[in-house]
Amino acid sequence: MRRNTEGLPRISVRIAPELHVFVAAERRGAVAEVATDGASSLGHVVESLGIPLTEVGRLRVDGREVSVGHVPGAGEEVAVEAVRRPQQIPDPPPRFLLDVHLGTLARRLRLLGVDTAYENEDIGDPALARRSAQERRVMLSRDRGLLRRREIFAGGYVYSDRPEEQLRDVLGRFAPPLAPWTRCVACNGTLAAADKDTVRDRLRDGTQKSYDVFARCTACERVYWKGAHHAHLEAVVEWAMREYGPAPTVPGEASGVPGEASGVPGPAA
């Protein structure tokens, strides 16, 4: 049902092009006319247009910066800017929480050593929001409703449904420090070098004969080695370090990986 806006205060809203994906086609022009009730905050008005506040940077009214709590008055001109990149969060470095639909992204972030919690079951928006707040994790999701929940610590909308583009987006937006081969892609625990004799009972005969370097998760005890998928994973790591890793120092210098065994994911990630 269309709301009757006759007689309500109206404001002019200029929405950054990066945020047009969230708004109706008729509001994607240079300036959109929006009716307000004269009492709602600017944050509420922006959300009513479909834009999660997690994606909003500065808000300007008649050229001056205001908070999301500003109550717009009739005739005001509002500019809604996109969040600046790299984005600063309240408690760096960023630690992430991903919803059930982002499993591949979670595994790739863990491959790069980024602290990434992931729910492989749908535990519901309230539980995800509470965990984000309790553990001070940045909530990543393609669910706008989840990102509108006030209790989340911080959040980010995942714009693409393609894992490669998702990874590029997250690394470029939040600039987390990278430490490849240091986390378990299955549970997010840390990896440690493992002697072959200590993990022998967890290996198949073919693996025992073909590999000598292993790592084991200190949390779930999953064992890793340079298996059939290693070349693909190595390519992901090399790309990420080239584009988003720290500037190279001394050629050949160790990258903080705890021994050769830390670079050995064997089962698919």
Side-chain angles (χ1 to χ4, degrees), residues 97-229:
L97 172 61
L98 279 61
D99 69 19
V100 68
H101 304 291
L102 298 175
T104 300
L105 176 60
R107 290 189 292 274
R108 293 190 178 182
L109 286 170
R110 290 171 176 175
L111 173 67
L112 297 173
V114 179
D115 189 342
T116 306
Y118 166 68
E119 295 290 347
N120 57 13
E121 295 182 1
D122 189 355
I123 63 174
D125 289 2
L128 283 169
R130 283 195 300 271
R131 184 173 182 185
S132 168
Q134 291 168 356
E135 300 181 12
R136 298 182 69 79
R137 291 183 179 274
V138 179
M139 185 76 242
L140 298 181
S141 178
R142 287 178 54 78
D143 182 346
R144 304 182 199 180
L146 172 57
L147 296 176
R148 290 181 62 175
R149 300 191 72 90
R150 292 291 185 263
E151 61 266 43
I152 65 173
F153 165 67
Y157 182 77
V158 178
Y159 287 79
S160 176
D161 58 2
R162 296 172 56 86
E164 296 82 1
E165 295 174 1
Q166 292 173 349
L167 184 61
R168 182 184 295 277
D169 184 27
V170 172
L171 296 182
R173 175 170 176 173
F174 294 100
L178 306 183
W181 315 113
T182 61
R183 286 191 179 273
C184 174
V185 297
C187 80
N188 197 43
T190 56
L191 298 183
D195 183 84
K196 187 174 184 177
D197 289 338
T198 66
V199 298
R200 190 179 300 275
D201 61 341
R202 304 175 67 91
L203 305 176
R204 296 178 180 177
D205 290 342
T207 303
Q208 290 187 35
K209 295 176 181 178
S210 302
Y211 302 97
D212 295 306
V213 181
F214 299 89
R216 180 165 54 186
C217 176
T218 58
C220 72
E221 299 191 343
R222 182 173 180 174
V223 179
Y224 290 86
W225 62 92
K226 291 184 178 179
H229 299 278

Side-chain angles (χ1 to χ4, degrees), residues 50-82:
I51 306 172
L53 291 182
T54 58
E55 307 312 296
V56 174
R58 292 182 297 185
L59 295 169
R60 296 184 181 275
V61 172
D62 295 334
R64 73 184 191 282
E65 188 171 348
V66 300
S67 71
V68 293
H70 172 80
V71 178
E76 289 185 343
E77 295 184 0
V78 176
V80 182
E81 300 181 5

